[in-house]
Amino acid sequence: MYPVLHIYPERIKHNAKNIKNLCDNHGIMVTGVTKVVSAHLDVAKAMVDAGIKSLGDSRIQNIIYMKENGINAEFMLLRIPMKSELELVVDYVDITLVSELKTVEWLNDIAKEKNKVQDIIYMIDVGDLREGVWYENAVEEILQVQKYSNICLKGIGTNLGCFGGVLPSIDNMNILLEIKNEIEEVLNRKLDIISGGNSAALPLIENGTLPDGINHFRLGESIICGTDVTNNRNVPGNRQDTVILEAQIIELKEKPSVPVGEIGFDAFGRKPVFEDKGKRLKAILAIGEQDISPDGLIPLDEKIEVLHSSSDHTIVDLTDSDHDYKLGDTIKFRMSYGCLLKAITSKYVEKVIEK
């Protein structure tokens, strides 16, 4: 049944080993992030088999799913938790990222009731404007954690490249380290984890400019997709053919390249722009925006052009392809991180594990 995602765990394991070796050589601990594949067990196992001992996900449901299905790892909750899920956090999560003292208070109360100590990483916003206490206020806020008896401040971290697109740099890593030093001086102990970010920060390791003291990265895209979208590149040594989407042609006709009539907005409120190339051979695929992001589709046949999608249809231009496509044939694509995120979540896309 199409559309289908072909998932290749051995290729993902190759990527995970490559990334882990790079990080090991620079004293960096790795948390493998499973969220882009909704914690698919075969992908989680591939990471663990590659030697990654810590797995992270943004959804508590995914962490519970992995733990209850025998994935043996330390689990980190990456999205700062909702009040409504804190009971589950204490029950299932080893380390959780936080950015609010009230959340820490709630966690402490629940952990005390359960006679547990909950490990946390306090997030600091060094410029990207996503989660975290603003760096200028970080020391004062984070030091208040010590008053909670059932909370252990395991470390601090930051996130870059996800909302504001701010690139990790020596400067913003040094901000994190300055905060670390101030906190450690007051607490009179070392913080175990200084988490410098995600796949966007890998170039700092590769080119030897990551400041000493950053010792942890949270990595998903670079392992599962083999890419680093923030820096617009493929990760050196990693494969990009780890998950392949295959969709079937349901219409194949020659049509004009520009619509006839006044052009308004499409179903998603966008106004399409068309280039007049005369008549073109176009295929409609049985997949749409409910399942994928069309701008994240990368045809394996490089002479195919992806034109546009509606909710349930994707239109591609086959005119320049050397392949003689027929009605009922399928077309294969690599995907961007964002496109894969939608495809893996869609219940209308079959998922198949390949050797």
Side-chain angles (χ1 to χ4, degrees), residues 38 42 87 111 132 198 271 292 299 312 316:
S38 295
D42 291 274
E87 190 105 18
N198 50 27
K271 196 160 190 176
I292 49 90
D312 308 298
V316 296

Side-chain angles (χ1 to χ4, degrees), residues 15-253:
N15 287 358
K17 280 185 174 181
N18 183 48
I19 289 291
K20 185 175 184 299
N21 288 339
L22 172 69
C23 291
D24 283 349
N25 291 338
H26 291 82
I28 306 294
M29 298 177 284
V30 173
T31 291
V33 178
T34 55
K35 65 181 180 179
V36 76
V37 289
S38 295
H40 196 292
L41 295 178
D42 291 274
V43 174
K45 187 174 184 301
M47 290 189 185
V48 172
D49 289 348
I52 292 175
K53 295 179 170 57
S54 170
L55 297 180
D57 205 287
S58 293
R59 314 285 172 151
I60 187 70
Q61 300 94 324
N62 288 346
I63 289 175
I64 295 170
Y65 175 66
M66 287 188 282
K67 289 194 82 163
E68 292 186 343
N69 283 277
I71 300 298
N72 185 22
E74 173 189 75
F75 287 97
M76 182 179 291
L77 182 63
L78 301 178
R79 184 172 67 184
I80 51 179
M82 297 179 283
K83 183 180 181 182
S84 59
E85 63 188 2
L86 294 181
E87 190 105 18
L88 292 173
V89 169
V90 175
D91 286 339
Y92 287 96
V93 176
D94 297 299
I95 304 175
T96 188
L97 276 50
V98 300
S99 66
E100 290 280 0
L101 280 173
K102 191 65 178 178
T103 301
V104 176
E105 180 186 333
W106 291 331
L107 272 173
N108 180 72
D109 292 343
I110 295 169
K112 189 177 290 187
E113 288 175 6
K114 296 177 180 289
N115 197 28
K116 289 184 174 183
V117 173
Q118 183 65 42
D119 290 342
I120 64 169
I121 293 175
Y122 214 102
M123 296 300 285
I124 299 165
D125 189 340
V126 297
D128 193 60
L129 301 182
R130 208 179 76 169
E131 79 272 34
V133 53
W134 189 246
Y135 67 93
E136 294 173 330
N137 309 320
V139 174
E140 180 183 359
E141 183 169 320
I142 294 171
L143 284 174
Q144 295 183 59
V145 170
Q146 63 187 321
K147 67 186 179 187
Y148 297 109
S149 59
N150 289 68
I151 297 294
C152 175
L153 179 63
K154 196 79 172 174
I156 57 175
T158 195
N159 189 74
L160 292 158
C162 283
F163 176 75
V166 174
L167 294 174
S169 68
I170 297 171
D171 289 342
N172 49 40
M173 291 297 105
N174 278 329
I175 291 172
L176 192 63
L177 290 172
E178 288 169 10
I179 294 168
K180 159 198 173 292
N181 292 337
E182 290 187 50
I183 291 172
E184 288 181 342
E185 186 175 348
V186 175
L187 296 181
N188 195 30
R189 70 173 175 88
K190 293 288 186 183
L191 297 175
D192 293 338
I193 297 174
I194 311 300
S195 190
N198 50 27
S199 297
L202 281 175
L204 295 177
I205 301 178
E206 295 165 14
N207 60 32
T209 58
L210 183 71
D212 290 339
I214 305 295
N215 66 4
H216 179 266
F217 275 19
R218 311 175 305 275
L219 303 173
E221 179 198 353
S222 54
I223 292 173
I224 295 172
C225 299
T227 56
D228 166 12
V229 68
T230 304
N231 292 289
N232 192 29
R233 69 184 191 126
N234 294 332
V235 175
N238 275 15
R239 300 182 64 152
Q240 290 75 49
D241 57 350
T242 48
V243 185
I244 301 296
L245 173 69
E246 188 174 9
Q248 193 164 43
I249 298 172
I250 55 174
E251 180 183 296
L252 183 63
K253 295 183 184 298

Side-chain angles (χ1 to χ4, degrees), residues 318-354:
L318 305 180
T319 309
D320 298 328
S321 175
D322 298 324
H323 187 83
D324 184 21
Y325 290 97
K326 306 292 185 186
L327 189 66
D329 286 352
T330 61
I331 296 175
K332 294 182 178 180
F333 304 86
R334 291 195 297 109
M335 291 162 290
S336 68
Y337 180 88
C339 187
L340 173 57
L341 188 67
K342 288 183 75 170
I344 204 83
T345 306
S346 174
K347 66 180 181 180
Y348 305 109
V349 178
E350 194 81 16
K351 288 84 181 176
V352 175
I353 296 297
E354 305 289 356

